[in-house]
């Protein structure tokens, strides 16, 4: 299967890649070396997934890309600084706010005027299938619906870059697969660039143009897999021999680096 060395830039991505990660390393103040220099170029509209064992620095790298954590070395250049959205594993909803008002939260923080806020939140809720639940409270939603709301809250920002840290890991398998399909549909409609973190390799293969396999701590880019399946991807893909074979190859790579 096609792959490349960590050092060589991906052929499909031009030098004008909107996300350019150069020599990014992170050592925390307590001395934990989380990342050794990471270089990665991410193309416009690309769906890239960071995959690796627990503690390999996936969240740290994503948070550095998002500007939430300072790297100890290296730089992250992002073409459009303004339009980033971040989704965490925990939906982090405000329990005292309705669905509708949760969806407006980030727009409020950005100072977007009320009529536009309402319109954008309504469109985002519609996109994630929460139309009709506007006046419900988070406590009345299932886990999958809470994650949909978390996605809607981020989508309302109309991001150009969407950064997601294991957003579906707490969900059951069927809900997870449904949300993977919905995320791909929304991504195709909106055209944002996605950086997604997971330790589920089948999720990584299903969603991505490229899967970046990271080594155990201190994390670095071990190998990059190009995923050859055309979009739009259909749920049937998961049952094909090609999909299973690629999953097995990546599993082998993960086993190798774990040793
Ligand atoms: N604020 C911090 N201070 C000190 N060490 C930290 C801090 N945040 C993370 N680490 C350490 O850095 C390493 C990488 O952590 P990180 O959360 O990025 O891993 P991860 O790949 O996202 O793991 P998981 O799959 O379990 O979420 C771990 O050893 C972790 O303990
Ligand atoms: Mg993590």
């Amino acid at each position: 299967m096609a792959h490349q060395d960590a050092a060589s830039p991906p052929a499909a991505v031009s030098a004008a890649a909107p996300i350019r990660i150069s020599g990014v390393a992170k050592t925390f103040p307590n001395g934990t070396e989380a990342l050794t220099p990471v270089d990665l170029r991410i193309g416009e509209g690309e769906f890239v997934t960071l995959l690796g064992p627990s503690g390999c620095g996936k969240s740290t790298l994503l948070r550095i890309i998002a500007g939430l954590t300072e790297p100890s070395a290296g730089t992250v250049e992002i073409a459009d600084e303004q339009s980033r959205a971040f989704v965490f594993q925990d939906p982090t909803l405000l329990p005292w706010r309705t669905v509708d008002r949760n969806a407006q939260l980030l727009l409020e923080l950005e100072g977007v005027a009320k009529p536009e806020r309402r319109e954008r939140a309504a469109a985002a809720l519609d996109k994630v299938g929460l139309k009709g639940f506007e006046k419900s409270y988070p406590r009345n939603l299932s886990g999958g619906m809470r994650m949909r709301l978390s996605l809607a809250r981020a989508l309302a920002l109309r991001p150009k870059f969407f950064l997601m840290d294991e957003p579906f890991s707490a969900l059951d398998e069927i809900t997870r697969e449904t949300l993977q399909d919905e995320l791909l549909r929304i991504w195709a409609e909106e055209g944002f660039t996605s950086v997604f973190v997971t330790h589920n390799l089948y999720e990584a293969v299903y969603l991505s143009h490229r899967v970046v396999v990271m080594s155990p701590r201190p994390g670095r880019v071990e190998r990059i897999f190009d995923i050859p399946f055309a979009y739009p991807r259909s749920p049937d893909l998961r049952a094909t021999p090609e999909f299973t074979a690629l999953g097995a190859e990546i599993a082998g790579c993960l086993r190798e680096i774990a040793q």
Side-chain angles (χ1 to χ4, degrees):
M1 190 51 61
H3 73 278
Q4 52 209 45
D5 294 334
S8 60
V13 178
S14 73
I19 303 181
R20 298 159 66 89
I21 299 155
S22 313
V24 163
K26 180 69 183 179
T27 301
F28 285 102
N30 68 358
T32 302
E33 195 185 7
L35 291 174
T36 52
V38 169
D39 293 290
L40 197 61
R41 300 281 180 272
I42 299 171
E44 190 163 355
E46 206 186 359
F47 202 119
V48 170
T49 295
L50 309 177
L51 176 71
S54 186
C56 75
K58 304 180 294 296
S59 295
T60 303
L61 180 55
L62 198 71
R63 291 177 61 84
I64 290 172
I65 298 172
L68 300 170
T69 298
E70 274 294 309
S72 313
T75 57
V76 176
E77 295 161 79
I78 297 188
D80 184 349
E81 286 288 335
Q82 293 312 309
S83 58
R84 267 177 280 176
F86 202 95
V87 170
F88 300 92
Q89 176 175 353
D90 179 1
T92 59
L93 304 170
L94 298 181
W96 58 87
R97 281 188 166 218
T98 57
V99 164
D100 180 39
R101 299 264 292 132
N102 265 288
Q104 290 183 40
L105 180 72
L106 299 177
L107 299 176
E108 277 177 49
L109 297 175
E110 294 236 317
V112 175
K114 199 168 185 176
E116 187 180 345
R117 238 160 51 206
R118 283 188 170 154
E119 185 249 307
R120 281 164 67 170
L125 289 171
D126 190 17
K127 226 166 232 308
V128 302
L130 281 181
K131 200 173 180 165
F133 292 91
E134 291 85 352
K135 298 300 162 212
S136 301
Y137 285 88
R139 65 175 174 276
N140 301 122
L141 304 180
S142 69
M145 289 163 88
R146 285 189 200 128
M147 187 42 74
R148 286 170 194 271
L149 176 52
S150 175
L151 289 174
R153 183 180 55 192
L155 287 171
L157 291 171
R158 305 211 169 129
K160 277 190 84 172
F161 305 125
F162 207 171
L163 303 147
M164 292 164 273
D165 193 354
E166 304 205 45
F168 306 149
S169 64
L171 305 173
D172 68 82
E173 201 52 34
I174 301 301
T175 307
R176 183 179 189 133
E177 291 186 356
T178 306
L179 281 174
Q180 288 167 9
D181 285 319
E182 297 199 3
L183 175 61
L184 284 185
R185 174 184 54 78
I186 294 166
W187 166 71
E189 285 169 9
E190 305 279 309
F192 48 73
T193 305
S194 288
V195 185
F196 189 97
V197 164
T198 183
H199 49 234
N200 182 315
L201 69 95
Y202 294 101
E203 178 167 80
V205 173
Y206 189 71
L207 292 174
S208 318
H209 282 117
R210 287 189 295 150
V211 174
V212 177
V213 175
M214 293 176 64
S215 69
R217 188 165 66 83
R220 61 188 166 78
V221 176
E222 182 71 31
R223 211 169 130 174
I224 298 177
F225 288 84
D226 289 320
I227 309 301
F229 310 121
Y231 294 97
R233 291 182 181 167
S234 113
D236 298 338
L237 173 64
R238 296 189 181 94
T240 62
E242 292 78 13
F243 184 86
T244 313
L246 184 48
E249 190 187 348
I250 297 177
C253 173
L254 286 168
R255 266 194 297 275
E256 225 170 82
I257 62 170
Q259 280 160 11

